[in-house]
Every structure is written in structure tokens, then in C-alpha cells.
Amino acid sequence: MEAREIEFFKKQMESNLHKASMGTVTLTNFLDATKLAHLEKLKEPFAEIVTDGGFENAEHQRAIFKPEGLAIQTFKIKIYEIIYPKRYLELTHRKVLGSLMGLGIKRDSIGDIWMDGTSVYFACTEEIASYIIASYKTISGIPIELKEVQERLTIERELREENHIVSSMRLDVILASAYKLSRAEALERIAEGAVSLNHMVCLNSSKLVAEDDIISVRHKGRIYVGRIGGKTKSGRLNVKLGFLS
């Protein structure tokens, strides 16, 4: 998110929270991890925010702004499984998202897309569900069907860990090591606002990261900073990095 977009979003959410303190309930579309992190900073007497993504462990979630103590309203989320001929079609997260966007749907109307082996599921807002059912008939020209899922599914993510030896815990150094980038490439990614630290865009390449920090890189994924071990004989640091597959 660019700085101007962040400020606009924050003002919208502050307005929603203030309205909640006055008795108005507001339901947002799906918010990503960066936007959800901004919600955690908002405070208003007599108002509260609750979130849900349809799946357990969902990264994209809808938020309800409501008066404090009011019973939680419905989040209006639908979960569908994509039934497709596995012999003729191989699905990826990008292919599913791209085909949904090809229907003219905005990204924030779609929640998480989860691939559990060969089973593929996605969350969407209830408001757009009937349009998706009527329009989403093929992916890459291959016919598909949608089956609504009633039970609560839990997204399970596999964490792949690697040991890295780095000169320091600077953000640009960790980024370059994690994705085998040159220092210049890492600096460029940070400068263009493509890197977030703990769900907040970070433009400070020299920012020191610590154990349990989360680094998100646009179009590349997420890095979890694990245990920082002792130094090597040359004075470099051993650090364990986790990658979600």
C-alpha cells in the first residue's frame, strides 16, 4: 500500500469506528494482513472491531465495526470448493485468483484461496456469491463446478525452514539472503514499498529485524525470522528463516 492509500484507509476505518460508538454497524470487504494490522491500532470508547475470514487461520478477513457489547453480526462469507477435472487442469493460487478477477470482481470481494492437496477452496463475500455462481463456469477454458462448503475449514500452512549466514540483521541483508537477491535488488524492493515488516510497509533498509518478526515481500511471500544463533569465526550471524509454502 502506498502512503496516500494507507492514510485514506486509516481515515475510513477511524470513521467506521466512530460511527460504531454512535450505534452504527459497518461491515468491510476482505482486508489483507497490512490493513488488519492498522485496525489493531484503532481505539474508540464504546466501540469495538471483530474480524473473520470464513476459514480458521485466514489471512484475508472481513471486519465488523460495532457498538461495544453488541452481539456479533454475521460476516456474510461464503466458502466454495472448485470441482474440476484434475486430468486436464492443474490449478495454482495465481490461476484461481486470475480467473476470478477475470469476471470483473474486485480483489477485496475474495478472501483466502486455499489449496489442500488437489482440493481448492476460496472465500468470497455473500454479496457477490450469486454473481460468482452464475458466471464462474470455466478456468483456462476447462469447465468447472462450484460446491458450497458448510463446515468450518482450517487452513494449514507448511513452514519450510532454512539456515542462513548473514553479515547483520538489517532488513536489506535478510531480504537479499532469503531470496538470493543482490544488495541493490533488495534495496530497490524496499524503496518501492514492496516490503513489509510485521505487516507494515518498511522503507528503512537498515532497520534491524529480530526473532519472531515477519517480513512480507510483494509477489514473493512471507519470511518468518526464527532463532538467531551465535557468530561464526568470521563474525557473521547464523539465523533460521521460515518460508510458507
Side-chain angles (χ1 to χ4, degrees):
M1 294 174 66
E2 297 181 356
R4 185 176 299 179
E5 183 183 357
I6 291 173
E7 287 306 311
F8 178 73
F9 171 77
K10 288 168 64 176
K11 288 180 180 179
Q12 277 189 316
M13 298 304 105
E14 288 168 358
S15 176
N16 288 344
L17 193 59
H18 178 67
K19 290 177 182 177
S21 70
M22 305 296 288
T24 300
V25 176
T26 302
L27 173 63
T28 71
N29 275 355
F30 286 100
L31 307 176
D32 61 22
T34 299
K35 290 180 177 179
L36 289 169
H38 283 288
L39 292 191
E40 294 179 0
K41 297 183 176 183
L42 298 181
K43 302 293 180 184
E44 179 88 17
F46 313 115
E48 58 185 354
I49 307 169
V50 288
T51 63
D52 190 83
F55 298 103
E56 291 294 333
N57 300 329
E59 291 190 344
H60 294 80
Q61 301 184 31
R62 302 190 79 174
I64 290 177
F65 294 74
K66 66 184 186 68
E68 188 177 30
L70 183 70
I72 295 176
Q73 310 294 309
T74 175
F75 287 92
K76 296 184 178 180
I77 297 171
K78 294 285 189 179
I79 305 292
Y80 293 102
E81 179 181 2
I82 300 176
I83 309 299
Y84 65 101
K86 299 171 179 60
R87 181 177 178 182
Y88 302 107
L89 182 62
E90 182 178 352
L91 293 184
T92 63
H93 184 284
R94 179 173 293 185
K95 186 176 289 185
V96 173
L97 180 59
S99 59
L100 284 166
M101 297 298 96
L103 300 177
I105 297 171
K106 292 184 178 179
R107 178 63 183 92
D108 63 4
S109 292
I110 304 298
D112 281 20
I113 297 169
W114 179 43
M115 311 189 74
D116 180 20
T118 58
S119 298
V120 181
Y121 307 89
F122 69 90
C124 68
T125 63
E126 189 176 287
E127 296 88 334
I128 202 72
S130 59
Y131 175 73
I132 290 178
I133 292 171
S135 306
Y136 199 31
K137 301 295 187 181
T138 65
I139 298 178
S140 300
I142 305 297
I144 64 166
E145 295 179 7
L146 298 181
K147 176 184 176 183
E148 185 174 353
V149 178
Q150 300 294 340
E151 67 269 26
R152 182 83 168 184
L153 299 177
T154 298
I155 294 179
E156 298 177 357
R157 298 181 174 89
E158 184 177 348
L159 190 68
R160 172 175 55 86
E161 293 186 324
E162 295 179 356
N163 290 313
H164 286 250
I165 298 176
V166 295
S167 60
S168 77
M169 293 304 296
R170 284 173 50 122
L171 179 60
D172 57 344
V173 172
I174 298 299
L175 185 62
S177 180
Y179 290 115
K180 297 179 174 57
L181 302 174
S182 68
R183 190 73 173 275
E185 288 173 326
L187 289 171
E188 183 179 358
R189 289 293 179 92
I190 294 169
E192 65 187 17
V195 179
S196 297
L197 181 60
N198 298 323
H199 308 302
M200 296 291 193
V201 173
C202 184
L203 300 175
N204 181 4
S205 60
S206 61
K207 176 76 174 179
L208 295 180
V209 301
E211 290 184 2
D212 298 324
D213 278 351
I214 301 172
I215 304 169
S216 303
V217 187
R218 189 186 305 153
H219 304 313
K220 279 193 172 291
R222 192 166 292 176
I223 306 165
Y224 292 81
V225 182
R227 186 177 60 84
I228 302 172
K231 292 184 177 181
T232 66
K233 291 181 179 180
S234 60
R236 295 165 69 85
L237 296 169
N238 285 290
V239 59
K240 181 167 289 187
L241 302 179
F243 301 81
L244 278 180
S245 59

